[in-house]
Amino acid sequence: MVVIGAGIVGAACARELALAGFDVLVLDRGRPAGGSTSHGEGNILVSDKGPGAELALAQLSARLWPQLVAEFEPRAAAATEFDPKGSIVVATTEAGAAALLAFAGTQAAAGVRTERLDADP
């Protein structure tokens, strides 16, 4: 089996094929994770996703990533970064704040932890 692309998607596909018993060859025109994967800054971002397939995939990825890294050999695990963190989305107008609060409500209903921060200390 040949997988074209050694980014996170290609690597994940190759891993699952290998676990299923296939002999796998991964090809890439550059270095592993050197294309789109390297430009994602290692983030598994949920703050910009409304309920639906993309948010569900991001949530699943955030749950599975630490489990996957735990399966790596020690050297590979040490070279893997995962720093779960949140994000802050800022509104500069009342209308923008209302829209963000509504969006945060839909995210909270989908299982995303949300918290309202005010400018007041």
Side-chain angles (χ1 to χ4, degrees):
M1 186 74 52
V2 176
V3 173
I4 308 295
I8 191 67
V9 173
C13 291
R15 175 184 182 272
E16 292 302 315
L17 288 166
L19 289 173
F22 291 92
D23 290 325
V24 182
L25 174 65
V26 179
L27 300 175
D28 199 292
R29 65 179 171 199
R31 64 179 176 82
S36 297
T37 296
S38 68
H39 300 314
E41 300 175 357
N43 292 326
I44 301 175
L45 188 63
V46 298
S47 64
D48 64 341
K49 294 167 184 64
E54 189 178 11
L55 176 58
L57 182 59
Q59 291 170 306
L60 177 62
S61 296
R63 285 192 308 274
L64 292 180
W65 187 252
Q67 295 172 22
L68 178 64
V69 173
E71 296 175 13
F72 291 172
E73 62 183 46
R75 186 172 158 205
T80 303
E81 293 182 42
F82 180 67
D83 184 16
K85 54 190 167 216
S87 56
I88 297 175
V89 182
V90 178
T92 57
T93 66
E94 290 297 322
L100 281 178
L101 287 171
F103 183 69
T106 65
Q107 285 194 306
V112 176
R113 180 177 162 237
T114 64
E115 182 178 343
R116 181 181 175 155
L117 303 175
D118 291 318
D120 298 327

